[in-house]
Amino acid sequence: DSSYTESVWWAFRTLHDRGLIYEGYKSMLICPRCETTLSNFEVGLGYKDITDISVYVKFELIDEPNTFLLAWTTTPWTLPGNVALAVGADIAYSKVEYEGAVYIVAEEKVAEVFTEKVYETTGKILGRDLIGKEYEPIFEYYDNDTLQNRENAFKIYTADFVKTDEGTGIVHIAPAFGEDDMKLGLEKNLPL
């Protein structure tokens, strides 16, 4: 219907003239079958609880070789998009020595993460004291100067969405794959 189409274009033009239209990025849900974006409503229609894989990933600190931040993720397919790590500013983290390396994990998660393993807690640090520390990228193809906003990448930031009710208290950030990640990425000018 041409009158409907014209009214949509008129509304869009009006919004544009008022400066309310902008170009940007947003993390979207994608249909794996037809590769189109989905609304939250469409995703909710087919929602079901499933058991899926999760992984622990170690990120080595540049200024402390053989010291790793240990992150846990239920979305391992987002790891190629990792550009930062997030911690909680007021969360207490433990330095845990295990099999010749040191791992940084939220203090209240140590026993759970290292269940049935022989480890020793060697120190403590608050999340705010980790801010700005750099780590080695987990994929070599990002370890170059051609990545846009590279100077902000592969560092530790704080975020209010970091919790200790599951995982390690350390969140891997991949702005292209999640709403919280995208928000932090825009705030800190991280590569996308």
Side-chain angles (χ1 to χ4, degrees), residues 57-69 79 82-85 132-144 147 150 153-156 172:
V57 184
K58 56 187 193 177
F59 297 85
E60 186 171 20
L61 289 175
I62 289 177
D63 65 344
E64 295 180 52
N66 209 34
T67 298
F68 302 89
L69 283 102
L79 288 167
N82 173 270
V83 293
L85 294 173
K133 285 188 172 280
E134 296 183 50
Y135 64 90
E136 293 287 341
I138 55 176
F139 293 101
E140 291 178 8
Y141 51 84
Y142 288 135
D143 195 17
N144 60 53
L147 187 62
R150 172 66 169 86
F154 312 114
K155 294 182 181 177
I156 302 169
H172 109 83

Side-chain angles (χ1 to χ4, degrees), residues 48-95:
K48 58 185 170 183
D49 285 324
I50 62 169
T51 301
D52 206 351
I53 61 170
S54 66
V55 296
Y56 289 97
V57 184
K58 56 187 193 177
F59 297 85
E60 186 171 20
L61 289 175
I62 289 177
D63 65 344
E64 295 180 52
N66 209 34
T67 298
F68 302 89
L69 283 102
L70 196 59
W72 175 75
T73 181
T74 58
T75 56
W77 54 89
T78 65
L79 288 167
N82 173 270
V83 293
L85 294 173
V87 296
D90 296 322
I91 295 175
Y93 292 87
S94 291
K95 290 186 173 185

Side-chain angles (χ1 to χ4, degrees), residues 2 7 27 47 67 84 88 96 101 117 120 122 125 128 131 135 142 162 168 182 187 189:
S2 61
S7 69
S27 180
Y47 183 82
T67 298
V96 177
K117 295 179 176 49
E120 180 183 352
T122 59
I125 189 169
R128 69 172 49 88
I131 297 171
Y135 64 90
Y142 288 135
V162 178
T168 64
M182 175 63 82
E187 179 185 321
N189 202 25

